[in-house]
Amino acid sequence: IEADRYQRTLDMCEERIRFITRTNNRLQTDSQLRQKVSQGGALDVLDEGALAESELRGASARLSATAYTRRATKNFFAAEQPETLPPALRDAAEALGDAFPTLARRFGFQQESVRCQQEHLLLLLANTASREGGRALSSLHAKLLSNYRQWAHALRVEPACARTTDVPNSKITDLVLLMLIWGEASNLRHMPEALCFLFHAMRLDVRAA
């Protein structure tokens, strides 16, 4: 919807530019127009048309750049550049390490989805740390993996996820893999048992590597 709105605005700008171009016989550059105004000269109708065209062209270019940026950039933070992050997110990024790119390469997750889920998990960790401090990772792991553990218990299979007493790296791998699966799950999000199965199979694959 937003892209359509930008496109309609661009079309209106281009139509206005064509109209002004047809009704004027000569054009002046921005520097010429500004020089004339700064010298106190009055702008005639043709000068006003040229200035209006210049402004519209500039507005059209800015809208095009904005629309492209909004389509190409979906993240508020550059998670791949920890030094640019706020302190709370920087701490979370250091804890995650290279888990996202490693799992993304192993299973072929889409790069845009990887970036979105990396930012998502950073925010979840930072938010949890603001309330629970050093227990943030274990607390978030227990919360997000609780449904998977219930699924495994119902099927009487050994959960492939990290246990409460396991090292932090195992919990990070669980969280990253779960977020990456969820990010590309689409309508499977309405079938949590399917997500649990995918996580189980892929986590066993990572463990066997």
Side-chain angles (χ1 to χ4, degrees), residues 44-154:
D44 56 23
V45 175
L46 295 180
D47 291 334
E48 291 175 358
L51 182 59
E53 177 179 10
S54 173
E55 292 174 347
L56 284 170
R57 286 189 184 278
S60 177
R62 287 192 296 273
L63 283 169
S64 296
T66 301
Y68 175 79
T69 301
R70 286 174 179 258
R71 288 195 298 270
T73 306
K74 299 179 177 64
N75 305 98
F76 289 104
F77 304 104
E80 67 278 4
Q81 300 174 353
E83 67 279 1
T84 66
L85 298 173
L89 294 184
R90 193 181 309 139
D91 294 341
E94 292 175 357
L96 294 180
D98 62 350
F100 269 99
T102 299
L103 291 174
R105 286 193 300 269
R106 182 173 184 82
F107 294 109
F109 288 104
Q110 300 177 55
Q111 195 57 42
E112 287 293 334
S113 177
V114 172
R115 279 196 290 266
C116 289
Q117 295 310 313
Q118 187 172 9
E119 181 179 87
H120 187 185
L121 186 53
L122 285 179
L123 292 170
L124 287 176
L125 274 174
N127 187 43
T128 306
S130 69
R131 301 190 310 269
E132 304 190 32
R135 296 185 59 254
L137 178 60
S138 296
S139 176
L140 186 62
H141 182 270
K143 181 177 181 179
L144 295 186
L145 273 296
S146 61
N147 190 59
Y148 165 71
R149 286 196 178 96
Q150 293 177 18
W151 173 85
H153 177 74

Side-chain angles (χ1 to χ4, degrees), residues 2-56:
E2 188 175 4
D4 293 339
R5 182 165 60 85
Y6 275 111
Q7 188 59 52
R8 287 196 299 270
T9 305
L10 288 173
D11 293 341
M12 292 172 59
C13 288
E14 291 173 358
E15 180 60 32
R16 178 62 175 162
I17 290 171
R18 286 194 292 269
F19 173 77
I20 294 173
T21 303
R22 288 196 300 268
T23 56
N24 289 283
N25 296 322
R26 62 185 179 86
L27 299 174
Q28 294 183 344
T29 65
D30 289 351
S31 58
Q32 290 174 324
L33 290 169
R34 290 191 175 89
Q35 182 179 7
K36 187 170 184 178
V37 172
S38 64
Q39 293 172 351
L43 288 175
D44 56 23
V45 175
L46 295 180
D47 291 334
E48 291 175 358
L51 182 59
E53 177 179 10
S54 173
E55 292 174 347
L56 284 170

Side-chain angles (χ1 to χ4, degrees), residues 174-189:
D174 288 344
L175 290 174
V176 171
L177 182 59
L178 183 66
M179 298 303 291
L180 288 174
I181 294 172
W182 186 87
E184 297 194 30
S186 187
N187 287 339
L188 283 181
R189 293 172 188 169

Side-chain angles (χ1 to χ4, degrees), residues 162-182:
R163 295 183 294 270
T164 306
T165 56
D166 283 351
V167 296
N169 282 347
S170 294
K171 297 177 182 179
I172 288 172
T173 299
D174 288 344
L175 290 174
V176 171
L177 182 59
L178 183 66
M179 298 303 291
L180 288 174
I181 294 172
W182 186 87

